[in-house]
Amino acid sequence: MKKKILSLVLCIMMVFCFSACSNKGDSKATGGNSGNIEVGIVLPTKDEPRWIQDQGKFEELLGKAGFTNQVLFSQGSSATEKANVETLISKGMKVLIICAQDASAAAATVEAAKAAGVTVIAYDRLITGTDAVDYYVTFDSVAVGEAMGTFLSEKASGTGNPLYLYAGAATDNNAFLFFQGAWNILQPKIADGTFVIKNSSEALALKDTKELTRDQLSTIIGQVTTDWDFNVAKSKAEAHLTAVSAADKGNVFVLVPNDGTSRSIADVFAADSDVSSYVITGQDAEVASIQYVIDGKQSMTVFKDTRTLAADSINMAVSILKGETPATDATYDNGKKEVPSKQTPVVVVTQDNVKSALIDSGYYDASKFTGLN
């Protein structure tokens, strides 16, 4: 009898242990039962601070709103992105918020979600070539590029200023919008001789063309893409400076599409003894780049308040789950349809307004930085 009782106790302990271990493995899902996901979020990578910040905001706001949710990362792979969406579909997802790794490759992925009855919200990056995208939440990407172009133009005087151009990944529709926005402002200054392009023969050949076609943008971006990769950006900048003479350096102006690549490229230009000074752009207000701005290593960054962007997409998802029509204020052509969109404003951050834009607004704590006035 004692042996039977002992066996029964051991069985009960094993059941409790197994149950505890199983519950521990479900930590990715928040806001309720992990097996029933109402809102699925797929982001491109864990390797950039921007997307980790977004993850935290999604989990916080959706949890407060009482909706089950799960955030998954594609880690630079369209195949992983597809698998992530399939996983979320299997969990009963009703709304998908997705920042695509590849704008065109993601079309088939969201079409599968749409076929499963899921409402698709493209987040930050427009998915192209499909009518399966229901909504798009974005910063005004053309305005982001225009802010960069304006900053460079306002810092330049005289003529013959060396201009180096860099772009995001050719697989990202936003890279085209950022570059076109910057080109809108820079092209007249290139045409009149204020700037002279030093690292792109394709851009130089089109210096008199303000409205670039998609194919023309593609040829330029193909030549100066960073692939959103720090190391690619560094190697490309080193190659460009090696290929030109000292006369092509001096006081230079550098269009760079985001903060991570801006820091890499800034370090390369700073290390070149023939570069007297550089004015360089960035985007995303990453902590490391804000420190670079404070230290004078990066000239500016375009601050895109991800709290607002995440909140806009969550408000949209909540409206959909309630059976309401989400509020939109623009449309974007993705090649198949005009996608109803919600735009979020952007702010240029320099040494002069770091405190008011990022600290006083509560986006960052001052303790993250040194030398902050």
Side-chain angles (χ1 to χ4, degrees), residues 99-268:
C99 182
Q101 167 62 30
D102 182 313
S104 58
T109 298
V110 296
E111 284 166 3
K114 190 69 176 174
V118 176
T119 300
V120 176
I121 301 172
Y123 179 73
D124 197 37
R125 298 175 180 172
L126 184 61
I127 297 169
T128 58
T130 179
D131 59 6
V133 180
D134 295 289
Y135 298 99
Y136 179 35
V137 178
T138 183
F139 296 102
D140 186 338
S141 297
V142 173
V144 170
E146 289 177 340
M148 295 179 183
T150 298
F151 186 87
L152 293 175
S153 294
E154 290 178 347
K155 295 295 182 180
S157 60
T159 59
N161 296 285
L163 176 64
Y164 291 79
L165 303 172
Y166 296 93
T171 56
D172 181 357
N173 187 65
N174 275 2
F176 288 76
L177 299 176
F178 296 146
F179 196 90
Q180 180 63 68
W183 188 260
N184 290 345
I185 306 300
L186 293 174
Q187 185 275 329
K189 296 291 186 178
I190 296 167
D192 72 10
T194 301
F195 292 117
V196 179
I197 299 168
K198 297 296 182 180
N199 69 325
S200 172
S201 58
E202 297 290 352
L204 191 60
L206 292 165
K207 68 183 182 68
D208 294 320
T209 305
K210 185 168 185 178
E211 289 294 330
L212 299 173
T213 67
R214 182 81 177 191
D215 286 344
Q216 289 170 332
L217 282 166
S218 185
T219 60
I220 298 172
I221 290 172
Q223 194 171 46
V224 299
T225 179
T226 62
D227 288 328
W228 300 128
D229 184 284
F230 303 178
N231 293 320
V232 171
K234 179 177 183 291
S235 297
K236 191 154 285 189
E238 288 173 340
H240 290 161
L241 289 182
T242 299
V244 300
S245 67
D248 296 314
K249 301 177 186 180
N251 299 311
V252 302
F253 295 78
V254 194
L255 175 71
V256 184
N258 78 331
D259 281 351
T261 57
S262 183
R263 295 192 301 276
S264 293
I265 293 171
D267 289 345
V268 172

Side-chain angles (χ1 to χ4, degrees), residues 47-50 226 228-231 233-234 237 254 256-271 278 280-293 295 297-301 364:
D47 298 333
E48 292 181 27
R50 152 74 197 281
T226 62
W228 300 128
D229 184 284
F230 303 178
N231 293 320
K234 179 177 183 291
V254 194
V256 184
N258 78 331
D259 281 351
T261 57
S262 183
R263 295 192 301 276
S264 293
I265 293 171
D267 289 345
V268 172
F269 276 79
Y278 62 87
I280 189 167
T281 64
Q283 173 186 187
D284 289 334
E286 292 181 1
V287 168
S289 273
I290 295 306
Q291 189 62 61
Y292 262 48
V293 169
D295 295 340
K297 296 179 180 180
Q298 183 174 323
S299 310
M300 61 87 83
T301 184
Y364 287 134

Side-chain angles (χ1 to χ4, degrees), residues 38 65 67 95 314-325:
E38 291 168 296
F67 290 100
V95 178
I314 290 166
N315 289 337
M316 188 173 278
V318 169
S319 294
I320 292 164
L321 291 168
K322 289 181 177 179
E324 301 169 353
T325 301

